[in-house]
Amino acid sequence: MTSILEEFAYGNLSPEAQPFHRNSEYSEAMRLLTRNEEYLLERLNEEEKILFEKYIDAQDELNRLTAVGNLIYGYKLGVTMTAEVFVGMDDLFQHGGNR
């Protein structure tokens, strides 16, 4: 059995690849986005479609960078909180949990 770190290193775990349920809030938002995108594309000429695709690509990149930044920040925050718990364990036992 491989460890979580090994699975992550081999690319078998990804925080980006998350399944979602069909009747979830996320699924409904995705349907609305798709419907509006199709509606908009039907009304654009070819030049406007190219510009819109560039816009979507830029938004996708921004979303990717935001997701990566949030993952890193959240991980660091969680590790920091965990470290604080371990550093403060003596205090917890000395005072019986009361301050």
Side-chain angles (χ1 to χ4, degrees):
M1 184 167 143
T2 58
S3 73
I4 291 175
L5 290 175
E6 286 175 313
E7 291 293 326
F8 187 71
Y10 289 122
N12 297 330
L13 290 176
S14 172
E16 295 175 9
Q18 298 284 328
F20 60 91
H21 298 285
R22 286 198 144 160
N23 295 322
S24 68
E25 190 175 351
Y26 182 88
S27 178
E28 183 57 35
M30 182 62 77
R31 275 193 290 275
L32 180 61
L33 177 72
T34 301
R35 187 172 51 237
N36 287 331
E37 183 178 340
E38 290 170 354
Y39 181 81
L40 180 60
L41 285 172
E42 289 173 0
R43 284 148 182 79
L44 298 177
N45 64 38
E46 289 308 310
E47 185 178 326
E48 292 167 334
K49 287 179 183 179
I50 291 169
L51 180 60
F52 183 64
E53 289 297 324
K54 288 179 181 179
Y55 170 82
I56 289 174
D57 290 345
Q59 186 66 51
D60 286 346
E61 179 64 10
L62 183 61
N63 289 342
R64 186 189 67 78
L65 293 171
T66 300
V68 168
N70 287 344
L71 174 74
I72 292 169
Y73 176 77
Y75 185 79
K76 286 179 178 180
L77 182 61
V79 169
T80 301
M81 292 168 75
T82 302
E84 184 177 310
V85 168
F86 283 112
V87 169
M89 290 296 280
D90 290 338
D91 186 51
L92 178 67
F93 291 117
Q94 288 175 1
H95 301 290
N98 298 324
R99 291 206 163 218

